[in-house]
């Protein structure tokens, strides 16, 4: 008894000193752990704090360099320390011009990350710069989807953070603030509307000129995600300004897409013509071209509570699992290949490609939100082994040849995002280790002279002189939140939701109401008020609480086949 007591005291002391979390210190004696379980089973507290500090440093290295070398341009070129704006000389360069528009994109996109990092002073300064210097009255032709998620979402998020009287992130409101960010958001969104009003189906044209509307003769093919991932930002804007036009337009586009799903499989394609409503691309998958469409059905429901959005999500999630999922039926039991979501033909459900893309890594996060935890764990684990193989994620990875089909990595956030959401849901230290691997390789492989650079090829780790705005708005934010367990966002995780660009929005009762005439708006569904406290959660057995999220034999199975060491 005495020795047990002293063991308890010793272990508690070790835990207190930050060598182990208390829980995991005891776990060592609860089960015989193998090498992998020992490695991932705990993370010292002082190491977590170091990772949090290093992530903050990573953000400021990128942000300060942007402000020094690039602002007021849209992006930072981190190798030659210059600013980057639209490619005016080559209007067909949509890789650049779809996103950049002479509106200080990186600064706007980074606003709420500043708040989350606890930097209220820099947040107020940045808000002032945006209000005083940014105008959307520009002769720039941009993609509606990109401008919506990166600019509109950021402006709404920053405005709502300022308006939050409980001040969880400190004094964010400049003393002269009078709703200017919301005015800018409304002005920007009004410039998107021609995309909807000039199409024959209600699906938005993919691009608008911010000054002149849809350019004559411009392309009419849009990806599904581009047309169907506007409801979150448009709905929030409509509810803030009391004008249903935006929400109505986004909802209509979703309903049009929904009607276009295949009558046999229920699957959607990846590219559609906004005038004919014909599918131009019949590939169906959970990655590029479709990813945020599913995500926003679920997130719109979480935010606004319309059962229509939830039933669309559930129906589409069921057919995704039916047609796209391969591998053993249960992630964490039985035998067979590791589960995988493949790209299929929307008409037959047959496998169409042998690659998965890095955007798909966000799907594990959607599965967390949907409560399908075993699948989320499984989806994420596969991407972890690909990350371990290269140190970053190639844009497309061929799961048959186990090598990249498209080998660049533009500092995308999706894998970090799902790592963070899985940690929030499980509190399993495995995900802190994953985060440490991510931070380490970003610093080793992508850190340049004055910021973080796109990887041109994961095969030779050559770099390109571009730091996309989502690096500061998402990649750094999710990594920081992973390590900063006391952050107000984590302490009140039931009060916030992330947009697909990582901007935080409040989950608030007022967002579940709208004040306009319902008949005019033609929404027949009542607002659903969910009551989380009534949910019944199945008991989780001890092994699942204390073991690795994906059992070590399955984690080893994919790491061996991928040729990586854990
Ligand atoms: C971001 O703009 C968003 O995360 C979007 O949902 C997908 N593409 C980029 C990041 O990869």
């Amino acid at each position: 008894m005495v020795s047990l007591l002293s063991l308890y005291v010793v272990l508690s002391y070790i835990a207190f000193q930050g060598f182990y979390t208390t829980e995991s210190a005891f776990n060592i004696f609860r089960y015989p752990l193998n090498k992998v379980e020992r490695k991932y089973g705990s993370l010292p507290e002082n190491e977590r704090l170091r990772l949090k500090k290093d992530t903050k440093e990573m953000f400021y290295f990128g942000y300060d360099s942007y402000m020094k070398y690039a602002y007021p341009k849209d992006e930072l070129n981190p190798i030659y320390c210059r600013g980057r704006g639209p490619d005016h000389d080559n209007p067909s360069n949509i890789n650049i011009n779809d996103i950049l528009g002479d509106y200080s994109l990186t600064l706007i996109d980074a606003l709420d990350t500043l708040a989350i990092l606890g930097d209220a002073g820099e947040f107020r300064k940045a808000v002032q710069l945006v209000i005083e210097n940014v105008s959307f009255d520009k002769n720039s032709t941009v993609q509606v989807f990109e401008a919506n998620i990166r600019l509109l979402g950021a402006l709404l998020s920053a405005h709502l953070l300022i308006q939050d009287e409980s001040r969880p992130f400190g004094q964010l409101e400049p003393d002269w603030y009078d709703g200017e960010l919301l005015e800018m958001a409304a002005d920007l969104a009004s410039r998107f509307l021609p995309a909807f009003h000039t199409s024959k189906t209600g699906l938005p044209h993919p691009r608008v000129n911010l000054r002149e509307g849809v350019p004559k003769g411009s392309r009419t093919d849009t990806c599904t995600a581009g047309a169907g991932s506007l409801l979150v930002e448009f709905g929030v804007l409509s509810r803030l300004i009391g004008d249903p036009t935006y929400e109505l337009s986004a909802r209509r586009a979703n309903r049009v897409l929904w009607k276009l799903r295949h009558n046999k499989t229920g699957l959607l394609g990846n590219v559609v013509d906004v005038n004919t409503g014909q599918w131009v691309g019949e590939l169906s998958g959970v990655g590029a071209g479709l990813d945020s469409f599913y995500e926003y059905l679920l997130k719109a429901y979480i935010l606004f509570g319309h059962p229509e959005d939830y039933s669309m999500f559930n129906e589409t999630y069921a057919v995704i699992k039916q047609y796209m999922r391969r591998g053993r039926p249960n992630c964490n039991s039985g035998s067979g290949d590791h589960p995988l979501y493949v790209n299929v033909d929307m008409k037959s459900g047959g496998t169409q490609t042998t690659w998965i893309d890095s955007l798909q890594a966000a799907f594990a996060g959607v599965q967390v939100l949907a409560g399908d935890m075993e699948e989320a764990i499984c989806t994420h684990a596969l991407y972890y082994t690909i990350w371990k193989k290269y140190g970053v994620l190639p844009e497309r990875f061929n799961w048959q040849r186990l090598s990249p089909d498209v080998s660049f990595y533009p500092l995308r956030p999706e894998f970090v995002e799902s790592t963070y959401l899985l940690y929030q849901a499980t509190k399993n230290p495995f995900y802190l280790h994953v985060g440490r691997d991510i931070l380490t390789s970003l610093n080793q492989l992508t850190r340049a002279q004055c910021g973080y650079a796109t990887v041109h090829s994961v095969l030779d780790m050559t770099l390109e002189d571009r730091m996309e705005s989502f690096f500061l708005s998402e990649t750094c934010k999710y990594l920081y939140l992973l390590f900063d367990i006391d952050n107000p966002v984590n302490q009140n995780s039931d009060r916030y939701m992330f947009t697909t660009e990582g901007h935080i929005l409040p989950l608030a009762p007022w967002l579940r109401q709208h004040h306009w005439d319902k008949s005019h708006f033609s929404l027949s569904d009542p607002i659903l008020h969910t009551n989380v406290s009534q949910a019944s959660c199945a008991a989780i057995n001890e092994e699942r609480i204390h073991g690795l999220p994906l059992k070590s034999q399955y984690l080893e199975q994919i790491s061996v086949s991928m040729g990586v060491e854990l």
Side-chain angles (χ1 to χ4, degrees):
M1 188 63 200
V2 172
S3 62
L4 266 183
L5 188 66
S6 28
L7 180 62
Y8 175 85
V9 171
V10 170
L11 287 174
S12 303
Y13 176 75
I14 290 171
F16 182 72
Q17 291 298 306
F19 290 107
Y20 295 107
T21 63
T22 313
E23 203 184 20
S24 54
F26 283 108
N27 291 343
I28 290 171
F29 297 91
R30 204 170 275 171
Y31 296 103
L33 301 177
N34 63 29
K35 190 173 141 236
V36 176
E37 288 165 335
R38 271 200 306 279
K39 174 176 169 188
Y40 290 99
S42 64
L43 188 94
E45 180 64 358
N46 52 5
E47 177 65 350
R48 179 185 68 78
L49 293 171
R50 180 189 73 80
L51 295 166
K52 173 181 152 183
K53 186 170 131 286
D54 288 358
T55 306
K56 202 171 204 173
E57 193 278 332
M58 179 168 89
F59 171 84
Y60 280 108
F61 183 51
Y63 177 80
D64 291 342
S65 298
Y66 166 76
M67 293 306 288
K68 184 168 174 192
Y69 301 108
Y71 174 80
K73 293 240 168 97
D74 289 310
E75 279 181 359
L76 169 70
N77 286 356
I79 297 176
Y80 288 106
C81 308
R82 298 246 160 81
R84 182 196 286 268
D87 187 350
H88 293 296
D89 295 337
N90 180 10
S92 63
N93 183 1
I94 53 173
N95 184 31
I96 300 292
N97 293 335
D98 268 0
I99 297 155
L100 310 192
D102 277 331
Y103 32 45
S104 302
L105 171 67
T106 298
L107 182 64
I108 296 180
D109 218 1
L111 286 175
D112 68 328
T113 312
L114 290 168
I116 286 170
L117 287 167
D119 197 345
E122 187 61 28
F123 175 91
R124 290 195 304 270
K125 197 175 128 201
V127 165
Q128 183 164 4
L129 288 174
V130 169
I131 291 171
E132 288 178 356
N133 301 313
V134 174
S135 156
F136 298 118
D137 184 25
K138 291 276 154 58
N139 184 20
S140 298
T141 298
V142 296
Q143 216 192 78
V144 175
F145 165 78
E146 293 289 356
N148 173 59
I149 64 168
R150 300 199 201 201
L151 295 168
L152 186 61
L155 293 169
L156 293 170
S157 173
H159 170 74
L160 288 166
L161 282 167
I162 287 172
Q163 299 286 86
D164 184 351
E165 284 171 3
S166 66
R167 308 248 174 275
F169 304 97
Q171 179 55 36
L172 297 178
E173 182 172 7
D175 46 21
W176 43 265
Y177 186 74
D178 194 20
E180 290 86 346
L181 293 179
L182 180 58
E183 276 170 34
M184 290 179 74
D187 171 54
L188 175 65
S190 71
R191 296 169 191 272
F192 299 157
L193 288 181
F196 294 83
H197 297 158
T198 59
S199 102
K200 296 202 173 108
T201 58
L203 294 173
H205 282 267
R207 296 177 182 85
V208 287
N209 181 287
L210 290 176
R211 202 171 273 162
E212 285 159 13
V214 179
K216 278 204 177 65
S218 66
R219 291 175 63 152
T220 54
D221 56 323
T222 177
C223 70
T224 303
S229 312
L230 302 155
L231 182 52
V232 165
E233 288 83 0
F234 277 32
V236 170
L237 178 65
S238 274
R239 285 155 202 256
L240 274 169
I241 63 176
D243 177 353
T245 312
Y246 300 97
E247 181 163 342
L248 180 59
S249 304
R251 272 194 188 283
R252 183 161 167 234
N254 280 6
R255 287 173 181 169
V256 172
L257 284 172
W258 191 241
K259 282 205 184 112
L260 293 175
R261 69 198 190 283
H262 192 263
N263 57 12
K264 187 180 127 231
T265 62
L267 295 168
L268 287 93
N270 59 343
V271 185
V272 63
D273 187 290
V274 302
N275 281 337
T276 64
Q278 298 289 311
W279 290 108
V280 181
E282 296 185 339
L283 195 68
S284 202
V286 294
L290 286 134
D291 48 358
S292 48
F293 172 66
Y294 315 123
E295 178 188 348
Y296 266 26
L297 291 178
L298 183 57
K299 289 188 172 174
Y301 171 69
I302 292 171
L303 208 51
F304 308 127
H306 285 288
E308 177 193 31
D309 299 324
Y310 194 44
S311 69
M312 284 199 260
F313 173 78
N314 282 328
E315 205 177 303
T316 203
Y317 189 55
V319 294
I320 285 170
K321 279 186 127 169
Q322 182 183 348
Y323 289 104
M324 297 177 199
R325 192 183 184 285
R326 306 284 183 268
R328 64 175 175 272
N330 295 313
C331 177
N332 250 321
S333 62
S335 59
D337 291 337
H338 185 83
L340 171 74
Y341 289 82
V342 302
N343 295 310
V344 299
D345 180 321
M346 69 175 284
K347 293 192 295 239
S348 66
T351 305
Q352 211 43 22
T353 75
T354 53
W355 49 261
I356 50 176
D357 62 39
S358 78
L359 292 167
Q360 271 180 251
F363 195 60
V366 175
Q367 292 178 311
V368 170
L369 289 188
D372 199 354
M373 288 305 300
E374 292 291 346
E375 283 294 288
I377 287 166
C378 225
T379 308
H380 174 273
L382 174 66
Y383 285 91
Y384 179 47
T385 56
I386 304 174
W387 183 283
K388 288 287 270 186
K389 196 173 173 72
Y390 300 101
V392 295
L393 285 185
E395 186 71 355
R396 281 185 186 172
F397 180 76
N398 189 305
W399 46 263
Q400 217 164 53
R401 289 190 286 105
L402 300 181
S403 60
D405 274 359
V406 179
S407 59
F408 67 88
Y409 169 69
L411 306 169
R412 287 198 192 283
E414 286 75 10
F415 178 60
V416 196
E417 174 185 353
S418 57
T419 303
Y420 163 67
L421 291 171
L422 272 157
Y423 182 66
Q424 284 305 304
T426 64
K427 294 285 151 48
N428 195 303
F430 171 79
Y431 296 107
L432 297 175
H433 282 268
V434 175
R436 177 164 70 178
D437 285 348
I438 294 169
L439 178 62
T440 304
S441 56
L442 286 176
N443 271 324
Q444 278 173 1
L445 302 170
T446 71
R447 193 170 170 118
Q449 180 68 22
C450 51
Y452 289 79
T454 292
V455 174
H456 176 69
S457 169
V458 303
L459 298 172
D460 59 11
M461 284 302 158
T462 44
L463 298 178
E464 276 176 37
D465 200 10
R466 186 169 186 196
M467 185 178 90
E468 293 228 30
S469 67
F470 50 67
F471 176 70
L472 298 181
S473 76
E474 291 194 82
T475 311
C476 292
K477 180 188 288 153
Y478 285 125
L479 209 47
Y480 184 76
L481 284 172
L482 173 68
F483 300 128
D484 187 23
I485 55 178
D486 299 323
N487 195 280
V489 174
N490 294 330
Q491 293 299 314
N492 305 289
S493 55
D494 56 343
R495 285 184 29 203
Y496 296 103
M497 193 193 74
F498 296 88
T499 70
T500 193
E501 185 72 4
H503 297 303
I504 51 169
L505 293 172
L507 293 172
W510 66 264
L511 273 172
R512 292 186 157 234
Q513 291 150 16
H514 51 74
H515 306 290
W516 47 81
D517 174 11
K518 256 186 150 186
S519 57
H520 161 66
F521 194 56
S522 75
L523 281 177
S524 49
D525 297 322
I527 303 278
L528 181 79
H529 294 280
T530 49
N531 186 344
V532 177
S533 64
Q534 285 173 4
S536 69
C537 298
I540 301 170
N541 70 35
E542 286 280 290
E543 190 193 359
R544 292 314 313 281
I545 295 172
H546 301 295
L548 294 182
L550 179 65
K551 287 180 188 163
S552 59
Q553 72 262 33
Y554 296 121
L555 191 57
E556 286 180 76
Q557 175 196 17
I558 28 172
S559 56
V560 166
S561 60
M562 208 63 83
V564 297
E565 206 170 320
L566 292 173

